[in-house]
Amino acid sequence: MDTRILKNEFLQIEYLTDALRIMGLTLAGKPNILADISHFPPIATPYGDFHFRGGHRLWHAPEAMPRTYIPDTPVTITELSDGVILESQTEPGTGIRKRIEIHLAADRPSVTLSHTLINDGLWPVELAPWAITQFRLGGTVILPMSVGNVDDAGLLSNRQLALWPYTRINDPRVRWGDEFVLFKTDALLPPFKVGYFNPHGWLAYYVDGILFRKTFSAQTDTTYPDNNCNAEMYCNDQFVELESLGPLARLHPGSSVTHHETWDVKIGYDSLPEHLHEIFASL
């Protein structure tokens, strides 16, 4: 794999030059926290083999075969003063072109990413941008949950969960809480996946003393894929994913939609809510 490096004195990002992927996220003096699954066997599709690779990627939801699994296309790279723009070629079969714009903060370990889908096809397409970050195992995922009433009398539901067919509700890795769901990423099967509408607009992963936190939009006046999920988590015996999604959009030919994330990477867990500190101190 041919890669290039984007870095400041705090953080280093390694990205591919031949596919739309971020493969490395390294806090100064620490190992890469992203997963490398280049050893995974590819998936055969009518358009060629799809390779998972690992790291961070941009998909479009809802998931379907073969639409979601179009093989990577070559990318063009545009250097910026504080980052880079990575743009793929138009996907065969879908007519969708993908772009990730990365800006690295100068004075802290923080990154902003703009994920854009462009419809180069001849007809409208309904989709949602889907930003997926794969991490190595051994840490704990933090999923903040909705709390409080949504109506004055407290009669209406204030949260929902989407569960996939292989998800076990009694999976020993998950700790269901009212304010937070915690998931310990041990290498077990079957896989586990959960999605929900996350009004807080952030997900976090704590591994080897490093806290990764991604923030994103949480819009209440629109519809998201997968039963209205703007946040999802998937784990198997090889890696764990933190996923954020934009709203479903009817993308007409020539139009685009963009989904933003901010990544903050820190040593320790001081930026977590205080009542989680005792839990993470024992990990």
Side-chain angles (χ1 to χ4, degrees):
M1 295 187 295
D2 186 21
T3 64
R4 292 184 187 175
I5 299 295
L6 179 65
K7 65 180 180 179
N8 60 19
E9 62 178 297
F10 309 98
L11 198 63
Q12 176 174 293
I13 295 171
E14 185 176 13
Y15 59 90
L16 294 180
T17 61
D18 59 350
L20 196 66
R21 299 296 176 94
I22 297 172
M23 296 302 296
L25 183 63
T26 307
L27 199 62
K30 298 291 184 178
N32 180 20
I33 62 174
L34 300 186
D36 179 359
I37 55 170
S38 54
H39 60 283
F40 259 45
I43 292 178
T45 81
Y47 303 98
D49 288 344
F50 174 83
H51 295 267
F52 279 99
R53 302 178 188 268
H56 180 79
R57 68 186 187 273
L58 171 60
W59 269 4
H60 36 98
E63 188 169 0
M65 177 60 78
R67 192 197 74 170
T68 310
Y69 294 85
I70 302 296
D72 292 315
T73 64
V75 297
T76 58
I77 300 171
T78 304
E79 302 285 349
L80 305 173
S81 60
D82 61 346
V84 68
I85 299 173
L86 310 175
E87 185 164 332
S88 70
Q89 295 181 358
T90 305
E91 291 180 341
T94 71
I96 299 300
R97 179 162 37 99
K98 301 173 181 175
R99 178 191 305 140
I100 301 178
E101 184 170 338
I102 307 168
H103 293 270
L104 182 60
D107 57 350
R108 62 192 184 280
S110 181
V111 187
T112 58
L113 302 99
S114 299
H115 305 84
T116 300
L117 301 173
I118 305 106
N119 185 2
D120 289 333
L122 300 176
W123 50 80
V125 179
E126 186 175 69
L127 49 68
W130 185 10
I132 302 172
T133 313
Q134 293 184 320
F135 300 92
R136 52 185 172 84
L137 299 180
T140 299
V141 173
I142 306 104
L143 308 176
M145 304 302 294
S146 179
V147 294
N149 295 347
V150 296
D151 64 300
D152 291 340
L155 299 176
L156 301 179
S157 64
N158 70 339
R159 76 202 89 170
Q160 102 287 345
L161 296 174
L163 301 176
W164 273 250
Y166 45 79
T167 299
R168 296 180 298 171
I169 198 73
N170 64 340
D171 191 300
R173 295 171 290 185
V174 65
R175 174 176 173 175
W176 302 101
D178 291 327
E179 294 183 77
F180 301 94
V181 172
L182 304 179
F183 190 90
K184 188 73 170 71
T185 61
D186 296 327
L188 297 176
L189 290 174
F192 181 96
K193 185 167 185 178
V194 63
Y196 67 114
F197 179 76
N198 179 343
H200 303 284
W202 65 266
L203 300 168
Y205 185 53
Y206 183 70
V207 60
D208 295 341
I210 299 170
L211 180 69
F212 170 94
R213 189 171 185 257
K214 69 160 67 182
T215 58
F216 48 90
S217 177
Q219 301 179 39
T220 58
D221 57 350
T222 188
T223 302
Y224 291 89
D226 299 337
N227 296 317
N228 204 41
C229 294
N230 71 336
E232 297 175 356
M233 187 222 80
Y234 172 87
C235 187
N236 61 18
D237 63 337
Q238 300 286 324
F239 59 86
V240 61
E241 293 179 344
L242 294 188
E243 311 170 2
S244 73
L245 299 98
L248 283 166
R250 187 167 177 81
L251 206 60
H252 291 274
S255 62
S256 65
V257 62
T258 299
H259 173 63
H260 303 282
E261 285 188 341
T262 298
W263 296 356
D264 293 293
V265 188
K266 300 180 179 181
I267 295 175
Y269 45 81
D270 290 344
S271 59
L272 291 175
E274 189 172 346
H275 53 290
L276 281 176
H277 288 188
E278 184 177 343
I279 294 174
F280 280 87
S282 66
L283 296 177

